Structure formats: structure tokens, C-alpha cells
Amino acid sequence: MKLNRTSCLLSLLGMLLAAGAQAAEANRVYDNNCALCHQRAGAGLAGQFPRLAGRAGEIAATEAGRRYLVEVTLFGMAGKVEVDGASIIGVMPPFAVLSDADLASALNYVIRLEGASKSKGKRARISEDDVKVVRAGQQLSPTQVRANREAVLTASTK
């Protein structure tokens, strides 16, 4: 009986560790590539780097929003944006050197961050194939990505 109980506990521990490793993977990609500017857990830095927590999930609620999130990570963005009532003029570098899996992982991590806004319902996910499709399509300049951002945000407020 002890052997069975021990085996069950070891199996449960193994499953918990595996689940934790998957969550850590998403954090690893974000932490190594995004957190320098957007800060831990997507908190942002007011007036300099926009927060992602509570915003990326709302943007990802539409197909156009998910495509924009992939575009901004692949191609970067440049220009003036309004976030939380503050104007930010800056440049986000492209991260096209990352694999489709890593980009999808980082994006899904920020989509899950709640932050100040608690969205209801199931969170949209971005797949490796979603990234692959955008990567294979038209290459955009950082200013074109900013223009796409404006169109996505304007459409979501209607």
C-alpha cells in the first residue's frame, strides 16, 4: 500500500512540475525579450513603455486584434501612441528572429495577464500557425504596424 501511495504522489508531483515548466516557458520567452521595456507581468512604465497586462487580452478578442499583436512582435512599431491617457513616442524593435513557437508563447502569456482590467469569457489564443501566416505575408514597416494599431483600436471601440 505504501508503494502505491508513494507512486501516486510521485506521479502527481511529476504532473505539477510539467505544468509549471510549461508556464515557465511562456515567462522565459517574455522575460528574456519583452520584460526589459514592458516590465515583469506586463506592468509597463507609464509614459515610456505601454502596459500589456489587461490590454493585450482585450486586443486579442478579435481576429484583427490577434493579427495586430503578431504584426507588432514580428515587425516592430514606431511612432506616437496613446496608452492610458499618456502619449508615448517611441520605437519597438521587431522580434522576427524568434521562432513562431516562441512568439506565440510570449503573446499567449501577455494575453493571459489580467492587470487592471478583468475581461470576461474565454481568452483567445494565438497559434504557431497564426504567426507563420503573418510572417509569410506582406512585410510591414514599423509605421505601417502603428497605422494598423489605430485601425484595430478604432474598430474595437465602435
Side-chain angles (χ1 to χ4, degrees):
M1 186 71 170
K2 267 188 169 177
L3 183 58
N4 286 340
R5 182 177 285 166
T6 302
S7 295
C8 288
L9 288 174
L10 288 174
S11 290
L12 179 60
L13 180 60
M15 290 187 309
L16 290 173
L17 288 173
Q22 288 175 338
E25 180 67 19
N27 286 318
R28 179 194 57 80
V29 175
Y30 177 86
D31 288 348
N32 290 341
N33 297 281
C34 312
L36 179 64
C37 296
H38 293 287
Q39 305 297 296
R40 306 269 298 154
L45 196 55
Q48 295 179 21
F49 303 107
R51 74 176 165 85
L52 301 176
R55 295 182 61 246
E58 292 173 1
I59 293 169
T62 66
E63 185 177 333
R66 290 187 297 279
R67 182 176 181 87
Y68 159 73
L69 290 173
V70 174
E71 289 173 351
V72 75
T73 55
L74 278 174
F75 308 124
M77 187 170 66
K80 180 180 174 182
V81 296
E82 292 283 328
V83 177
D84 296 332
S87 291
I88 300 172
I89 300 173
V91 176
M92 178 175 152
F95 288 92
V97 297
L98 295 176
S99 70
D100 295 343
D102 280 351
L103 286 176
S105 176
L107 287 169
N108 286 318
Y109 171 71
V110 298
I111 287 169
R112 290 190 309 267
L113 294 173
E114 290 295 326
S117 170
K118 301 285 184 191
S119 296
K120 294 179 175 73
K122 186 178 177 186
R123 291 288 186 192
R125 292 200 45 83
I126 294 174
S127 70
E128 288 180 49
D129 286 340
D130 295 332
V131 177
K132 192 173 299 196
V133 165
V134 175
R135 190 187 298 268
Q138 178 186 3
Q139 302 297 296
L140 302 175
S141 73
T143 54
Q144 287 172 313
V145 172
R146 188 191 49 74
N148 288 354
R149 175 188 187 276
E150 299 306 317
V152 165
L153 295 182
T154 301
S156 70
T157 59
K158 289 184 179 179

